[in-house]
Amino acid sequence: MFKKILVAYDGSDHAARAFEVAVDLATKLSSQLEIVQVEPHPTTSNWVTEIGRSGNDELSKVAAQVLTPLWAKARSHGVKDVSGDVLYGEPAHEIARYAKDNDVDLVVMGRRGRGRIEGLVLGSVSSHLTSHANCAVLTVK
Ligand code: ATP
Ligand code: MG
């Protein structure tokens, strides 16, 4: 169960807590861990750069800055198989699509993120994934 875990990371404290939970689960369950961050793209949505394969230096740099420290941290906690991507487009849609296309068993995310509207229990991205993901979703408080 939960052979492949995806953590959605938007740089918020909520997402940082979700990352800790995902790393702990992946260590205990010997799961693969995928770390995904979605950035707005000025011209094209659904545009994906895969680390190491992208020919675009600027985008590779963004990906490396975001993901490299997280990969290192996950590995230092004992997760053997760590990977991930920076995706470009609309976060809820991109995370759901990525989870489906990559046979993810569990998405781990924060209940809230970088958004500023107070009083909401769930943000729009966690709300969308909870309703529409093809797999289990764990929202971390
Ligand atoms: P909203 O964005 O609707 O104003 P919010 O920012 O408080 O509200 P969400 O965006 O739903 O809440 O964030 C919930 C969780 O979803 C985050 O903790 C993170 O795990 C994930 N998430 C949100 N945006 C992104 C993103 N751009 N890339 C990766 N993960 C994201
Ligand atoms: Mg948000």
Side-chain angles (χ1 to χ4, degrees), residues 8-10 12 14-15 36-38 91 95 109-115 123-126:
Y9 186 81
D10 69 351
S12 65
H14 303 269
V36 160
Q37 171 145 350
V38 187
I95 295 164
M109 60 200 310
R111 285 194 197 178
R112 295 293 314 273
R114 282 190 300 213
S124 58
V125 180
S126 48

Side-chain angles (χ1 to χ4, degrees), residues 66-82:
V66 172
L67 294 180
T68 305
L70 296 176
W71 287 345
K73 204 168 167 187
R75 290 207 181 94
S76 76
H77 280 80
V79 186
K80 294 206 171 61
D81 192 340
V82 189

Side-chain angles (χ1 to χ4, degrees), residues 28-50:
K28 288 181 176 139
L29 300 173
S30 304
S31 314
Q32 281 176 255
L33 183 67
E34 298 242 16
I35 307 165
V36 160
Q37 171 145 350
V38 187
E39 296 286 339
H41 195 276
T43 49
T44 329
S45 67
N46 289 332
W47 199 93
V48 181
T49 175
E50 205 170 327

